[in-house]
Amino acid sequence: MTIFSKIIAGDIPCYKIAEDDRYFAFLDINPVAKGHVLVVPKQETDYLFDLDDTLLSGMTLFAKRIAKAQKKAIACRRIGVAVLGMEVPHAHIHLIPLNQETDLNFFKPKQSFSPDEMQAIAAAIRAELE
Ligand code: AMP
């Protein structure tokens, strides 16, 4: 079982943003930027582009809904999209609020927010979901 499956199952806590029958979204615990969200399929598949067409296209639409809410909740110009998967072998899309190109940088020291701040960020994004 991957760490993301444990989060989806509720065995490991997370700052949840949304879920439906196929997908789950939560805050990245080591955010590149404030409001950094991960979108994952509930089905355990290592590599994003190994997902079947229906699951992958549905994931894009699920991510779109999250990104729209992030854009309203977090002061930013764009929501950047990244796929790495170097650390966790469970397909996921990074959605990262950006004000400039250099904000999308996984080599910078990660940002740090208190648990209360993370709760508040998650709540602000959830409040903008349609
Ligand atoms: P990568 O597989 O290279 O896309 O990186 C995995 C991402 O998952 C990193 O940005 C981590 O900060 C994030 N991550 C790992 N464990 C957790 C967790 N328990 N809760 C939230 N995010 C996590």
Side-chain angles (χ1 to χ4, degrees):
M1 206 178 191
T2 68
I3 187 161
F4 292 166
S5 289
K6 290 178 186 164
I7 288 172
I8 293 163
D11 296 338
I12 292 178
C14 74
Y15 301 98
K16 183 174 161 180
I17 304 297
E19 84 175 291
D20 68 9
D21 56 330
R22 292 186 296 171
Y23 311 105
F24 196 96
F26 54 103
L27 291 184
D28 192 304
I29 204 74
N30 284 125
V32 165
K34 180 181 173 183
H36 179 171
V37 170
L38 299 177
V39 173
V40 307
K42 290 186 173 178
Q43 177 190 298
E44 255 187 31
T45 298
D46 179 0
Y47 183 51
L48 185 77
F49 297 118
D50 283 335
L51 293 173
D52 72 45
D53 290 358
T54 306
L55 198 56
L56 179 59
S57 52
M59 189 164 160
T60 304
L61 297 180
F62 184 86
K64 173 181 174 179
R65 186 171 156 250
I66 306 296
K68 295 260 186 195
Q70 274 173 293
K71 180 78 171 54
K72 289 179 188 161
I74 310 285
C76 64
R77 289 177 56 204
R78 287 279 193 267
I79 302 300
V81 178
V83 175
L84 288 85
M86 297 296 171
E87 198 183 303
V88 178
H90 185 145
H92 52 281
I93 296 173
H94 295 259
L95 297 176
I96 302 173
L98 305 176
N99 284 302
Q100 53 201 359
E101 286 145 327
T102 49
D103 290 342
L104 187 51
N105 182 350
F106 283 81
F107 300 102
K108 278 190 311 197
K110 299 296 185 283
Q111 305 226 359
S112 179
F113 300 96
S114 70
D116 281 353
E117 287 172 320
M118 291 291 270
Q119 289 288 8
I121 293 165
I125 297 171
R126 283 197 304 267
E128 297 294 352
L129 282 172
E130 284 171 10

